[in-house]
Amino acid sequence: MRTQQTQQRARPRRVLLTGWFSFPDGEATAGDVLALRRVEDVLRGTGIPYEVAWSPGFLPEALHLADVRPGDYSHLVFVCGPLHGPQVEELHRRFAHCVRIAVGTSVIDPDSPAVTGFHRVLPRDAPDTAPVEDLAARAPAVPARPVVGVILTQGQHEYGELRRHGRVAEEVTRWLGGKDCARLELETRLDTHDWHLSATPAQLQSVLARLDLVVTDRLHGLVLALRVGTPVLAVDPVAGGAKVTAQARACGWPALLTAERLDARRLDRWWNWCLTGGRVAARQIRDAFQEGTVPDSADRLVEALAPRAAG
């Protein structure tokens, strides 16, 4: 690792911020991006100009390392992640004229060329060095986004030619990909051996109760969410409508789209309603379920089981 005395003393002309989120074969993690936001926040406060190089697989329209002209920068800063590997070493070769600084990184082998190529390393953890807080811990706070459970099915082959499940799932997931929300894929199927799945209805309901919204094309996705007072954007994946439509009508739930009327405009409309007035409506239906004032088919079971009088 080069000593501080070898660094250029002049104010940075322009800084290029890089990290594992910059490499074509790298990946952008939430922690890395928040660490970057912390560094950006500090640089903005000093007025030092900077740019960020992103992986083309993550942000196709952003600035990429392949398009960067190294001569445009006086300093290169590598943010977060471990300092190792040929990708990091290539940065030293390509930006040899720059002052190179690593910040908030993990140092595994201090003698690695990936480490020694930096003029200065400000690690979060390194051998024989006291650890410091990760940069993500003090990243600028951002407003919470809606947390949305997604419950879709590719089954229900009993509907034959009326099935629109594949198209519904494709359109809904593409639309959801453009929403600024936290998405959580869920499954109503229970399993006592697969840790990915809930083992009991109570476990699944505990998740549903903590969500802001559920998007589903399943009947029980609709019912279980309303049972805990969480609004539901329901889509019936069967042409002409089937059990999802029937159940929404039975529950008095309006946020329903059929496969034939599925488009972004209608999805947006019900999305906005679910996150506003739909919250109250869902709690009202939950309370009605608990009060049990509306009879269901189980209420008629005893009558059906009773022996019939002889004619």
Side-chain angles (χ1 to χ4, degrees):
M1 192 182 305
R2 303 183 187 182
T3 64
Q4 185 174 0
Q5 285 73 23
T6 64
Q7 297 182 57
Q8 297 177 11
R9 300 290 183 178
R11 178 180 174 85
R13 183 176 74 250
R14 183 184 295 179
V15 177
L16 180 66
L17 300 180
T18 63
W20 286 97
F21 51 80
S22 305
F23 300 132
D25 54 351
E27 60 181 21
T29 70
D32 288 352
V33 174
L34 283 173
L36 171 66
R37 298 298 183 229
R38 168 63 178 151
V39 171
E40 289 185 285
D41 192 47
V42 169
L43 292 183
R44 280 194 296 268
T46 65
I48 295 174
Y50 70 88
E51 292 180 314
V52 181
W54 292 98
S55 166
F58 181 61
L59 291 178
E61 304 302 322
L63 177 68
H64 305 143
L65 277 176
D67 303 322
V68 162
R69 296 188 304 180
D72 290 345
Y73 305 94
S74 60
H75 290 66
L76 179 136
V77 175
F78 191 89
V79 181
C80 198
L83 295 182
H84 78 100
Q87 301 101 317
V88 180
E89 294 175 27
E90 175 60 24
L91 288 178
H92 296 313
R93 289 188 288 269
R94 188 175 174 201
F95 295 87
H97 69 284
C98 288
V99 176
R100 297 179 301 284
I101 303 171
V103 58
T105 54
S106 293
V107 175
I108 302 167
D109 177 7
D111 297 322
S112 164
V115 178
T116 59
F118 287 101
H119 296 89
R120 183 92 183 267
V121 176
L122 307 172
R124 64 187 174 193
D125 56 88
D128 303 319
T129 302
V132 299
E133 288 181 349
D134 183 75
L135 293 172
R138 290 178 57 196
V142 295
R145 271 48 174 181
V147 182
V148 179
V150 184
I151 307 175
L152 301 174
T153 178
Q154 296 288 345
Q156 301 179 347
H157 294 280
E158 62 270 23
Y159 288 103
E161 295 182 355
L162 297 177
R163 294 181 73 257
R164 302 293 184 269
H165 296 61
R167 182 173 66 82
V168 165
E170 181 181 352
E171 291 192 29
V172 167
T173 53
R174 182 172 61 247
W175 168 77
L176 274 173
K179 306 300 286 186
D180 187 8
C181 65
R183 293 166 288 273
L184 182 62
E185 187 175 14
L186 298 173
E187 172 61 71
T188 59
R189 181 172 65 87
L190 304 179
D191 196 309
T192 58
H193 303 289
D194 186 347
W195 71 270
H196 296 89
L197 300 174
S198 296
T200 67
Q203 293 174 8
L204 178 59
Q205 287 185 184
S206 295
V207 176
L208 296 175
R210 288 162 171 80
L211 301 175
D212 296 302
L213 171 65
V214 168
V215 176
T216 187
D217 65 357
R218 304 202 68 161
L219 179 150
H220 281 125
L222 168 68
V223 173
L224 296 181
L226 291 178
R227 178 179 160 87
V228 295
T230 299
V232 187
L233 201 173
V235 180
D236 195 322
V238 179
K243 59 184 178 181
V244 176
T245 298
Q247 192 59 211
R249 183 180 301 117
C251 295
W253 184 250
L256 170 74
L257 290 173
T258 60
E260 295 88 346
R261 294 174 60 82
L262 184 61
D263 59 44
R265 181 182 63 81
R266 292 185 175 92
L267 285 166
D268 284 339
R269 175 194 169 213
W270 284 118
W271 169 279
N272 293 331
W273 180 81
C274 284
L275 293 176
T276 53
R279 300 176 189 270
V280 175
R283 289 193 292 268
Q284 291 173 339
I285 291 178
R286 173 200 62 191
D287 295 343
F289 284 172
Q290 294 174 353
E291 292 168 2
T293 55
V294 178
D296 62 13
S297 54
D299 292 318
R300 301 174 58 189
L301 178 60
V302 174
E303 176 188 345
L305 291 172
R308 297 184 179 182

